[in-house]
């Protein structure tokens, strides 16, 4: 009687057996094709800025209604804009500098948190807890005199 030998391959070994290089595998992982370096959510808020770090937000628009209360935040292009503790506005790059997951604002800690690996950033973008090692980009915010428009510049 003949016995069969069964081999198990992990995902990486299987893909390498198909001829994919390590660099190609990392590209797939980081693009989220396989599972991921990035588990960020899609942008639910319509972008009214240019997406390049500058622009304006109409605070009366329904898509920006979260910014009417402390602790609310929206994603706008490549940024997260939050109404922080004390009522001011902060705009930072939204992608965690560790692996690109969208950060979230936490009112109770008055910081930005990456739900993927736990990095924490201050409202000035500085890294407070790793694994991220690079700060988030900070944008300047200016509220119009009527309180209806937030201008964001580099």
């Amino acid at each position: 009687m003949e016995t069969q030998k069964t081999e198990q391959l992990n995902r990486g070994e299987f893909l390498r057996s198909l001829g994919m290089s390590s660099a190609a595998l990392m590209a797939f992982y980081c693009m989220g094709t396989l599972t991921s370096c990035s588990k960020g959510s899609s942008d639910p808020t319509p972008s009214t800025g240019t997406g390049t770090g500058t622009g304006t937000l109409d605070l009366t628009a329904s898509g920006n209604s979260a910014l009417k209360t402390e602790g609310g935040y929206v994603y706008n292009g490549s940024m997260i804009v939050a109404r922080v503790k004390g009522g001011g506005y902060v705009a930072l790059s939204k992608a965690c500098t560790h692996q690109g997951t969208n950060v979230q604002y936490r009112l109770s800690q008055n910081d930005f948190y990456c739900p993927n690996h736990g990095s924490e950033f201050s409202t000035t973008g500085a890294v407070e807890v790793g694994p991220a090692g690079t700060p988030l980009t900070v944008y300047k915010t200016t509220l119009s005199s009527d309180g209806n428009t937030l201008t964001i510049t580099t």
Side-chain angles (χ1 to χ4, degrees):
M1 192 165 145
E2 196 173 308
T3 60
Q4 265 187 329
K5 183 179 176 185
T6 304
E7 281 189 43
Q8 288 189 339
L9 296 176
N10 69 31
R11 181 179 18 206
E13 290 168 338
F14 172 74
L15 291 171
R16 276 190 291 281
S17 75
L18 295 176
M20 299 193 79
S21 71
S22 296
L25 289 173
M26 278 308 297
F28 278 119
Y29 279 110
C30 290
M31 289 181 346
T33 305
L34 295 175
T35 59
S36 90
C37 288
S38 176
K39 292 186 181 186
S41 60
S42 62
D43 241 352
T45 304
S47 174
T48 55
T50 63
T52 60
T54 61
T56 59
L57 287 177
D58 178 357
L59 299 178
T60 64
S62 62
N64 297 321
S65 63
L67 295 174
K68 292 180 182 177
T69 58
E70 279 188 10
Y73 64 91
V74 297
Y75 296 111
N76 184 53
S78 61
M79 298 176 290
I80 181 171
V81 181
R83 182 116 184 233
V84 296
K85 196 175 279 189
Y89 294 91
V90 171
L92 302 170
S93 52
K94 70 179 181 183
C96 177
T97 57
H98 176 236
Q99 291 187 332
T101 301
N102 287 351
V103 296
Q104 302 167 350
Y105 177 69
R106 299 186 300 185
L107 179 63
S108 59
Q109 287 89 355
N110 196 36
D111 71 357
F112 292 84
Y113 173 75
C114 177
N116 199 15
H117 293 112
S119 292
E120 298 176 12
F121 302 87
S122 72
T123 57
T124 63
V127 177
E128 294 179 326
V129 175
T134 306
L136 298 173
T137 302
V138 179
Y139 300 94
K140 182 179 177 188
T141 60
T142 307
L143 186 62
S144 65
S145 58
D146 64 6
N148 292 330
T149 304
L150 187 66
T151 302
I152 302 166
T153 57
T154 53

